[in-house]
Amino acid sequence: MPPTHPPDFEHSIHSANIWLKAVSEALDTEDRHLAHRILRTWLHTLRDRLTVDVTANFAAQLPELVRGAYYDGWDPSAVPVKYDRQGYVDRFVQEAKVTAEDVPRVAAAVATVVREHVSPGHLEAALEQLPHDIRALLLQPTA
């Protein structure tokens, strides 16, 4: 039977699934919808705090389908959006549909996954644009 998707499309799906599996494992869940929602929220809360140039440089490290989620709904004329740690947590709660108490754990878990899947130094270069309190939240050790 011939393949139903071009090889490039299969590769894109495979790469996205690798990321989702890693996020699911980091969150200790088998719920891929939850993992996707949290990854997407993490990407959006980072993206909207960055300048356009840094956003694009970071996006270049993402697999194609993950990059699509990263850019989905982005308005480059409205960035960077300034918010502090509480603003970050509030937005994460609203978009990921998790509790405020869960945000430090899940955000740090996703940051760890992202660091493992992008070229060395790329995550840190993006995080340099974040206020110290948000950066500390994302870089805290995960259990």
Side-chain angles (χ1 to χ4, degrees):
M1 173 177 255
T4 58
H5 305 291
D8 290 345
F9 192 66
E10 291 294 335
H11 176 72
S12 295
I13 292 169
H14 179 71
S15 297
N17 277 323
I18 289 170
W19 278 59
L20 280 178
K21 181 178 185 223
V23 170
S24 294
E25 289 172 354
L27 298 174
D28 195 26
T29 183
E30 293 184 20
D31 185 344
R32 289 285 178 100
H33 294 288
L34 173 64
H36 176 261
R37 193 171 62 241
I38 289 173
L39 173 60
R40 180 183 179 89
T41 299
W42 189 95
L43 291 167
H44 287 182
T45 54
L46 173 68
R47 174 201 72 193
D48 289 348
R49 197 65 175 76
L50 305 177
T51 63
V52 172
D53 288 345
V54 174
T55 295
N57 286 335
F58 183 75
Q61 293 290 307
L62 303 174
E64 187 173 14
L65 293 177
V66 175
R67 190 176 327 120
Y70 179 70
Y71 278 127
D72 187 39
W74 186 51
D75 180 1
S77 68
V79 295
V81 176
K82 303 290 185 186
Y83 47 79
D84 60 9
R85 179 185 169 116
Q86 190 58 52
Y88 177 92
V89 169
D90 292 346
R91 181 172 174 192
F92 210 102
V93 165
Q94 181 181 11
E95 291 186 25
K97 297 175 180 37
V98 297
T99 67
E101 294 76 26
D102 284 338
V103 172
R105 178 183 62 82
V106 300
V110 174
T112 299
V113 170
V114 171
R115 179 181 291 109
E116 292 170 355
H117 286 86
V118 298
S119 297
H122 274 79
L123 176 60
E124 288 72 16
L127 294 180
E128 283 297 314
Q129 288 202 342
L130 300 181
H132 177 70
D133 57 346
I134 297 173
R135 191 169 50 239
L137 176 77
L138 297 176
L139 296 176
Q140 68 183 346
T142 56

